[in-house]
Amino acid sequence: MSPLLVKITLVLLFMSIIIPQKSVAEYEQWCIADEQTPDEELKVALDWACGEGGADCSKIQVNQACYFPNTMTNHASYAFNDYFQRFKHKGGSCSFKGAAMITELDPSKRYPFTVF
């Protein structure tokens, strides 16, 4: 092995050790309901997301895995995020007329019984 190749290998090894690597989760984003949005506005946005928007809202139905906590904010957050994850690379956004927002904090840590 040439001395130059050994030096390059050592430098790369050293850099991989001292430069912190970001985990995949640090690059993740979730779309959640803005808690300041009135339930009536969330309901309109939720209905759009689960209908025309194409989100899969089957898990927030009664007796399903993500029904609880049974609040408009939680159900809207689930629907908004499902829509966002499905369509963000196809032009989908996390706006819902101002009823939603992006977070980089995993909502499952905040809503431990809801699967996002």
Side-chain angles (χ1 to χ4, degrees), residues 2-51:
S2 75
L4 179 60
L5 188 56
V6 170
K7 287 180 183 179
I8 291 173
T9 303
L10 289 173
V11 167
L12 291 174
L13 179 63
F14 179 72
M15 289 175 59
S16 70
I17 293 170
I18 64 166
I19 297 174
Q21 301 294 316
K22 291 193 174 204
S23 69
V24 173
E26 290 183 68
Y27 295 108
E28 290 186 54
Q29 293 183 324
W30 293 267
C31 180
I32 60 170
D34 183 341
E35 292 182 355
Q36 296 179 3
T37 302
D39 280 358
E40 298 78 30
E41 291 178 36
L42 289 176
K43 175 75 169 114
V44 170
L46 170 67
D47 289 346
W48 181 88
C50 294

Short mmCIF file of all heavy atoms in Angstrom, two decimals, residues 2-51:
data_model
loop_
_atom_site.label_atom_id
_atom_site.label_comp_id
_atom_site.label_asym_id
_atom_site.label_seq_id
_atom_site.Cartn_x
_atom_site.Cartn_y
_atom_site.Cartn_z
N SER A 2 0.56 2.21 -0.83
CA SER A 2 1.39 3.40 -0.93
C SER A 2 1.24 4.29 0.32
O SER A 2 0.19 4.28 0.96
CB SER A 2 1.03 4.20 -2.18
OG SER A 2 -0.18 4.88 -1.98
N PRO A 3 2.29 5.05 0.64
CA PRO A 3 2.22 5.94 1.81
C PRO A 3 1.09 6.96 1.71
O PRO A 3 0.45 7.28 2.72
CB PRO A 3 3.58 6.63 1.83
CG PRO A 3 4.49 5.73 1.06
CD PRO A 3 3.63 5.04 0.05
N LEU A 4 0.82 7.44 0.50
CA LEU A 4 -0.26 8.41 0.32
C LEU A 4 -1.61 7.77 0.64
O LEU A 4 -2.45 8.38 1.33
CB LEU A 4 -0.26 8.96 -1.11
CG LEU A 4 -1.36 9.97 -1.44
CD1 LEU A 4 -1.26 11.19 -0.53
CD2 LEU A 4 -1.31 10.36 -2.90
N LEU A 5 -1.84 6.58 0.18
CA LEU A 5 -3.09 5.88 0.44
C LEU A 5 -3.27 5.60 1.93
O LEU A 5 -4.37 5.73 2.48
CB LEU A 5 -3.14 4.56 -0.36
CG LEU A 5 -4.46 3.81 -0.34
CD1 LEU A 5 -5.60 4.70 -0.83
CD2 LEU A 5 -4.36 2.57 -1.20
N VAL A 6 -2.20 5.28 2.62
CA VAL A 6 -2.25 5.05 4.06
C VAL A 6 -2.62 6.34 4.78
O VAL A 6 -3.46 6.35 5.68
CB VAL A 6 -0.89 4.50 4.58
CG1 VAL A 6 -0.86 4.49 6.10
CG2 VAL A 6 -0.63 3.12 4.02
N LYS A 7 -2.02 7.48 4.37
CA LYS A 7 -2.34 8.77 5.00
C LYS A 7 -3.79 9.15 4.77
O LYS A 7 -4.47 9.60 5.70
CB LYS A 7 -1.42 9.87 4.45
CG LYS A 7 -0.01 9.78 4.96
CD LYS A 7 0.85 10.89 4.38
CE LYS A 7 2.29 10.74 4.85
NZ LYS A 7 3.15 11.77 4.29
N ILE A 8 -4.28 8.96 3.57
CA ILE A 8 -5.68 9.29 3.27
C ILE A 8 -6.62 8.43 4.10
O ILE A 8 -7.59 8.91 4.68
CB ILE A 8 -5.96 9.13 1.75
CG1 ILE A 8 -5.23 10.21 0.97
CG2 ILE A 8 -7.46 9.18 1.47
CD1 ILE A 8 -5.29 10.05 -0.53
N THR A 9 -6.31 7.16 4.19
CA THR A 9 -7.13 6.24 4.98
C THR A 9 -7.15 6.65 6.45
O THR A 9 -8.21 6.66 7.09
CB THR A 9 -6.62 4.79 4.83
OG1 THR A 9 -6.61 4.43 3.46
CG2 THR A 9 -7.48 3.83 5.62
N LEU A 10 -5.99 7.01 6.99
CA LEU A 10 -5.92 7.43 8.39
C LEU A 10 -6.69 8.73 8.63
O LEU A 10 -7.37 8.87 9.65
CB LEU A 10 -4.47 7.57 8.83
CG LEU A 10 -3.70 6.25 8.99
CD1 LEU A 10 -2.23 6.53 9.28
CD2 LEU A 10 -4.31 5.40 10.08
N VAL A 11 -6.58 9.66 7.70
CA VAL A 11 -7.30 10.93 7.83
C VAL A 11 -8.81 10.68 7.81
O VAL A 11 -9.56 11.21 8.63
CB VAL A 11 -6.88 11.93 6.73
CG1 VAL A 11 -7.84 13.11 6.67
CG2 VAL A 11 -5.46 12.42 6.96
N LEU A 12 -9.26 9.86 6.89
CA LEU A 12 -10.69 9.55 6.80
C LEU A 12 -11.18 8.82 8.06
O LEU A 12 -12.27 9.10 8.57
CB LEU A 12 -11.00 8.73 5.55
CG LEU A 12 -10.86 9.48 4.22
CD1 LEU A 12 -11.04 8.53 3.06
CD2 LEU A 12 -11.84 10.63 4.15
N LEU A 13 -10.40 7.91 8.55
CA LEU A 13 -10.76 7.20 9.76
C LEU A 13 -10.83 8.16 10.94
O LEU A 13 -11.80 8.14 11.72
CB LEU A 13 -9.74 6.10 10.05
CG LEU A 13 -9.97 5.28 11.32
CD1 LEU A 13 -11.29 4.53 11.24
CD2 LEU A 13 -8.82 4.31 11.54
N PHE A 14 -9.86 9.04 11.06
CA PHE A 14 -9.82 10.03 12.13
C PHE A 14 -11.05 10.95 12.05
O PHE A 14 -11.71 11.22 13.04
CB PHE A 14 -8.52 10.84 12.06
CG PHE A 14 -8.42 11.89 13.12
CD1 PHE A 14 -8.19 11.55 14.45
CD2 PHE A 14 -8.56 13.23 12.80
CE1 PHE A 14 -8.10 12.53 15.43
CE2 PHE A 14 -8.46 14.21 13.77
CZ PHE A 14 -8.23 13.86 15.09
N MET A 15 -11.36 11.41 10.84
CA MET A 15 -12.51 12.31 10.66
C MET A 15 -13.82 11.61 11.00
O MET A 15 -14.72 12.22 11.57
CB MET A 15 -12.54 12.84 9.23
CG MET A 15 -11.43 13.85 8.95
SD MET A 15 -11.37 14.39 7.23
CE MET A 15 -12.98 15.09 7.00
N SER A 16 -13.94 10.36 10.65
CA SER A 16 -15.18 9.64 10.96
C SER A 16 -15.36 9.45 12.46
O SER A 16 -16.48 9.30 12.93
CB SER A 16 -15.22 8.29 10.24
OG SER A 16 -14.28 7.40 10.81
N ILE A 17 -14.29 9.48 13.20
CA ILE A 17 -14.38 9.31 14.65
C ILE A 17 -14.69 10.64 15.34
O ILE A 17 -15.50 10.69 16.25
CB ILE A 17 -13.06 8.72 15.21
CG1 ILE A 17 -12.89 7.28 14.71
CG2 ILE A 17 -13.04 8.77 16.73
CD1 ILE A 17 -11.54 6.68 15.00
N ILE A 18 -14.06 11.73 14.90
CA ILE A 18 -14.22 13.00 15.62
C ILE A 18 -15.41 13.83 15.15
O ILE A 18 -15.90 14.65 15.90
CB ILE A 18 -12.95 13.85 15.55
CG1 ILE A 18 -12.63 14.28 14.12
CG2 ILE A 18 -11.78 13.16 16.19
CD1 ILE A 18 -11.61 15.37 14.01
N ILE A 19 -15.88 13.63 13.93
CA ILE A 19 -17.01 14.41 13.42
C ILE A 19 -18.29 13.66 13.79
O ILE A 19 -18.49 12.54 13.35
CB ILE A 19 -16.92 14.62 11.91
CG1 ILE A 19 -15.66 15.43 11.57
CG2 ILE A 19 -18.18 15.33 11.40
CD1 ILE A 19 -15.39 15.58 10.10
N PRO A 20 -19.15 14.28 14.60
CA PRO A 20 -20.37 13.58 14.99
C PRO A 20 -21.27 13.32 13.79
O PRO A 20 -21.45 14.19 12.94
CB PRO A 20 -21.03 14.53 15.99
CG PRO A 20 -20.43 15.86 15.73
CD PRO A 20 -19.08 15.62 15.12
N GLN A 21 -21.81 12.14 13.75
CA GLN A 21 -22.72 11.76 12.67
C GLN A 21 -24.15 12.01 13.13
O GLN A 21 -24.51 11.71 14.26
CB GLN A 21 -22.54 10.27 12.33
CG GLN A 21 -21.14 9.92 11.89
CD GLN A 21 -20.74 10.58 10.59
OE1 GLN A 21 -21.52 10.59 9.65
NE2 GLN A 21 -19.56 11.14 10.54
N LYS A 22 -24.95 12.55 12.23
CA LYS A 22 -26.35 12.76 12.55
C LYS A 22 -27.11 11.48 12.29
O LYS A 22 -26.87 10.80 11.30
CB LYS A 22 -26.93 13.89 11.71
CG LYS A 22 -26.38 15.24 12.09
CD LYS A 22 -27.19 16.33 11.49
CE LYS A 22 -26.69 17.66 12.00
NZ LYS A 22 -27.68 18.68 11.94
N SER A 23 -28.01 11.18 13.17
CA SER A 23 -28.84 10.00 12.96
C SER A 23 -29.92 10.33 11.94
O SER A 23 -30.22 11.49 11.68
CB SER A 23 -29.48 9.56 14.27
OG SER A 23 -30.45 10.50 14.67
N VAL A 24 -30.52 9.30 11.41
CA VAL A 24 -31.60 9.49 10.43
C VAL A 24 -32.72 10.30 11.05
O VAL A 24 -33.32 11.15 10.39
CB VAL A 24 -32.11 8.12 9.93
CG1 VAL A 24 -33.33 8.29 9.05
CG2 VAL A 24 -31.02 7.38 9.19
N ALA A 25 -33.02 10.08 12.31
CA ALA A 25 -34.12 10.78 12.97
C ALA A 25 -33.91 12.28 13.02
O ALA A 25 -34.87 13.04 13.05
CB ALA A 25 -34.32 10.24 14.38
N GLU A 26 -32.65 12.73 12.99
CA GLU A 26 -32.40 14.17 13.03
C GLU A 26 -32.81 14.86 11.75
O GLU A 26 -32.91 16.07 11.71
CB GLU A 26 -30.92 14.42 13.32
CG GLU A 26 -30.53 14.05 14.73
CD GLU A 26 -29.09 14.37 15.02
OE1 GLU A 26 -28.75 15.56 15.07
OE2 GLU A 26 -28.31 13.42 15.18
N TYR A 27 -33.05 14.10 10.70
CA TYR A 27 -33.45 14.68 9.43
C TYR A 27 -34.95 14.49 9.18
O TYR A 27 -35.47 14.93 8.18
CB TYR A 27 -32.67 14.04 8.28
CG TYR A 27 -31.21 14.34 8.33
CD1 TYR A 27 -30.29 13.35 8.68
CD2 TYR A 27 -30.72 15.60 8.06
CE1 TYR A 27 -28.94 13.62 8.73
CE2 TYR A 27 -29.37 15.88 8.11
CZ TYR A 27 -28.49 14.89 8.44
OH TYR A 27 -27.15 15.16 8.50
N GLU A 28 -35.64 13.84 10.11
CA GLU A 28 -37.05 13.57 9.91
C GLU A 28 -37.89 14.78 10.27
O GLU A 28 -37.54 15.57 11.14
CB GLU A 28 -37.47 12.38 10.77
CG GLU A 28 -36.89 11.09 10.27
CD GLU A 28 -37.43 9.89 11.03
OE1 GLU A 28 -38.66 9.75 11.10
OE2 GLU A 28 -36.60 9.13 11.53
N GLN A 29 -39.00 14.88 9.57
CA GLN A 29 -39.95 15.94 9.84
C GLN A 29 -41.34 15.33 9.90
O GLN A 29 -41.64 14.39 9.18
CB GLN A 29 -39.92 17.00 8.74
CG GLN A 29 -38.64 17.79 8.68
CD GLN A 29 -38.71 18.88 7.62
OE1 GLN A 29 -39.29 18.69 6.57
NE2 GLN A 29 -38.11 20.01 7.91
N TRP A 30 -42.15 15.88 10.78
CA TRP A 30 -43.53 15.46 10.90
C TRP A 30 -44.42 16.68 10.75
O TRP A 30 -44.05 17.79 11.10
CB TRP A 30 -43.79 14.84 12.27
CG TRP A 30 -43.07 13.55 12.49
CD1 TRP A 30 -43.56 12.29 12.26
CD2 TRP A 30 -41.75 13.36 13.02
NE1 TRP A 30 -42.62 11.34 12.60
CE2 TRP A 30 -41.50 11.97 13.06
CE3 TRP A 30 -40.74 14.22 13.43
CZ2 TRP A 30 -40.30 11.43 13.51
CZ3 TRP A 30 -39.55 13.69 13.89
CH2 TRP A 30 -39.33 12.32 13.92
N CYS A 31 -45.61 16.45 10.24
CA CYS A 31 -46.61 17.50 10.09
C CYS A 31 -47.67 17.27 11.16
O CYS A 31 -48.29 16.20 11.21
CB CYS A 31 -47.22 17.41 8.68
SG CYS A 31 -48.49 18.65 8.37
N ILE A 32 -47.85 18.25 12.02
CA ILE A 32 -48.80 18.11 13.12
C ILE A 32 -49.76 19.29 13.14
O ILE A 32 -49.47 20.36 12.60
CB ILE A 32 -48.09 18.00 14.49
CG1 ILE A 32 -47.25 19.25 14.77
CG2 ILE A 32 -47.24 16.74 14.56
CD1 ILE A 32 -46.70 19.34 16.19
N ALA A 33 -50.89 19.09 13.79
CA ALA A 33 -51.87 20.16 13.94
C ALA A 33 -51.32 21.24 14.86
O ALA A 33 -50.67 20.94 15.86
CB ALA A 33 -53.17 19.59 14.51
N ASP A 34 -51.59 22.47 14.50
CA ASP A 34 -51.23 23.59 15.36
C ASP A 34 -52.25 23.63 16.49
O ASP A 34 -53.46 23.77 16.25
CB ASP A 34 -51.26 24.89 14.56
CG ASP A 34 -50.83 26.10 15.36
OD1 ASP A 34 -50.84 26.06 16.61
OD2 ASP A 34 -50.49 27.12 14.73
N GLU A 35 -51.79 23.53 17.71
CA GLU A 35 -52.69 23.45 18.87
C GLU A 35 -53.51 24.72 19.07
O GLU A 35 -54.50 24.71 19.81
CB GLU A 35 -51.91 23.12 20.13
CG GLU A 35 -51.35 21.71 20.10
CD GLU A 35 -50.60 21.33 21.36
OE1 GLU A 35 -50.43 22.19 22.25
OE2 GLU A 35 -50.21 20.16 21.45
N GLN A 36 -53.13 25.81 18.43
CA GLN A 36 -53.88 27.05 18.56
C GLN A 36 -55.04 27.15 17.57
O GLN A 36 -55.85 28.05 17.64
CB GLN A 36 -52.95 28.24 18.38
CG GLN A 36 -51.89 28.31 19.46
CD GLN A 36 -50.93 29.48 19.28
OE1 GLN A 36 -51.08 30.28 18.37
NE2 GLN A 36 -49.95 29.57 20.14
N THR A 37 -55.11 26.20 16.65
CA THR A 37 -56.17 26.20 15.64
C THR A 37 -57.46 25.66 16.26
O THR A 37 -57.45 24.61 16.90
CB THR A 37 -55.77 25.33 14.43
OG1 THR A 37 -54.54 25.82 13.89
CG2 THR A 37 -56.83 25.36 13.36
N PRO A 38 -58.56 26.39 16.09
CA PRO A 38 -59.84 25.91 16.63
C PRO A 38 -60.23 24.55 16.04
O PRO A 38 -59.93 24.25 14.87
CB PRO A 38 -60.84 27.00 16.21
CG PRO A 38 -60.01 28.20 15.90
CD PRO A 38 -58.68 27.69 15.44
N ASP A 39 -60.94 23.75 16.83
CA ASP A 39 -61.35 22.41 16.39
C ASP A 39 -62.17 22.45 15.10
O ASP A 39 -62.05 21.54 14.28
CB ASP A 39 -62.17 21.72 17.49
CG ASP A 39 -61.29 21.13 18.59
OD1 ASP A 39 -60.04 21.22 18.49
OD2 ASP A 39 -61.85 20.56 19.54
N GLU A 40 -62.97 23.49 14.91
CA GLU A 40 -63.79 23.56 13.70
C GLU A 40 -62.91 23.64 12.45
O GLU A 40 -63.19 22.99 11.43
CB GLU A 40 -64.72 24.79 13.73
CG GLU A 40 -65.72 24.79 14.88
CD GLU A 40 -65.11 25.20 16.21
OE1 GLU A 40 -64.14 25.99 16.26
OE2 GLU A 40 -65.61 24.70 17.25
N GLU A 41 -61.83 24.41 12.52
CA GLU A 41 -60.89 24.50 11.38
C GLU A 41 -60.11 23.21 11.21
O GLU A 41 -59.85 22.78 10.07
CB GLU A 41 -59.94 25.68 11.58
CG GLU A 41 -60.61 27.03 11.48
CD GLU A 41 -59.64 28.18 11.73
OE1 GLU A 41 -58.46 28.09 11.33
OE2 GLU A 41 -60.07 29.18 12.33
N LEU A 42 -59.72 22.60 12.31
CA LEU A 42 -59.02 21.31 12.22
C LEU A 42 -59.92 20.26 11.58
O LEU A 42 -59.45 19.45 10.76
CB LEU A 42 -58.59 20.84 13.61
CG LEU A 42 -57.46 21.60 14.28
CD1 LEU A 42 -57.21 21.05 15.68
CD2 LEU A 42 -56.18 21.54 13.45
N LYS A 43 -61.21 20.27 11.91
CA LYS A 43 -62.15 19.30 11.35
C LYS A 43 -62.25 19.44 9.84
O LYS A 43 -62.25 18.44 9.11
CB LYS A 43 -63.53 19.47 12.01
CG LYS A 43 -64.62 18.60 11.44
CD LYS A 43 -64.48 17.17 11.89
CE LYS A 43 -65.73 16.37 11.55
NZ LYS A 43 -65.51 15.34 10.57
N VAL A 44 -62.32 20.66 9.35
CA VAL A 44 -62.39 20.89 7.90
C VAL A 44 -61.13 20.36 7.23
O VAL A 44 -61.20 19.65 6.22
CB VAL A 44 -62.59 22.40 7.59
CG1 VAL A 44 -62.42 22.69 6.10
CG2 VAL A 44 -63.96 22.87 8.07
N ALA A 45 -59.98 20.66 7.80
CA ALA A 45 -58.70 20.20 7.23
C ALA A 45 -58.56 18.68 7.34
O ALA A 45 -58.08 18.02 6.42
CB ALA A 45 -57.53 20.90 7.93
N LEU A 46 -59.00 18.12 8.46
CA LEU A 46 -58.97 16.67 8.66
C LEU A 46 -59.84 15.97 7.62
O LEU A 46 -59.43 14.99 7.01
CB LEU A 46 -59.45 16.33 10.07
CG LEU A 46 -59.72 14.87 10.41
CD1 LEU A 46 -58.43 14.07 10.42
CD2 LEU A 46 -60.41 14.76 11.76
N ASP A 47 -61.05 16.48 7.41
CA ASP A 47 -61.95 15.89 6.42
C ASP A 47 -61.34 15.94 5.02
O ASP A 47 -61.44 14.98 4.26
CB ASP A 47 -63.31 16.61 6.43
CG ASP A 47 -64.12 16.29 7.67
OD1 ASP A 47 -63.78 15.33 8.40
OD2 ASP A 47 -65.10 17.03 7.93
N TRP A 48 -60.66 17.04 4.69
CA TRP A 48 -60.02 17.14 3.37
C TRP A 48 -58.88 16.13 3.26
O TRP A 48 -58.76 15.41 2.27
CB TRP A 48 -59.49 18.55 3.10
CG TRP A 48 -58.88 18.62 1.74
CD1 TRP A 48 -59.51 18.91 0.58
CD2 TRP A 48 -57.51 18.35 1.40
NE1 TRP A 48 -58.61 18.83 -0.48
CE2 TRP A 48 -57.39 18.49 -0.01
CE3 TRP A 48 -56.38 17.99 2.13
CZ2 TRP A 48 -56.18 18.29 -0.68
CZ3 TRP A 48 -55.19 17.79 1.46
CH2 TRP A 48 -55.09 17.95 0.07
N ALA A 49 -58.03 16.08 4.30
CA ALA A 49 -56.88 15.18 4.27
C ALA A 49 -57.32 13.73 4.12
O ALA A 49 -56.75 12.98 3.32
CB ALA A 49 -56.04 15.35 5.54
N CYS A 50 -58.35 13.34 4.87
CA CYS A 50 -58.82 11.94 4.84
C CYS A 50 -59.66 11.63 3.61
O CYS A 50 -59.85 10.46 3.27
CB CYS A 50 -59.63 11.65 6.09
SG CYS A 50 -58.66 11.69 7.61
N GLY A 51 -60.15 12.65 2.95
CA GLY A 51 -60.98 12.45 1.75
C GLY A 51 -60.19 12.75 0.50
O GLY A 51 -59.37 11.95 0.05
#
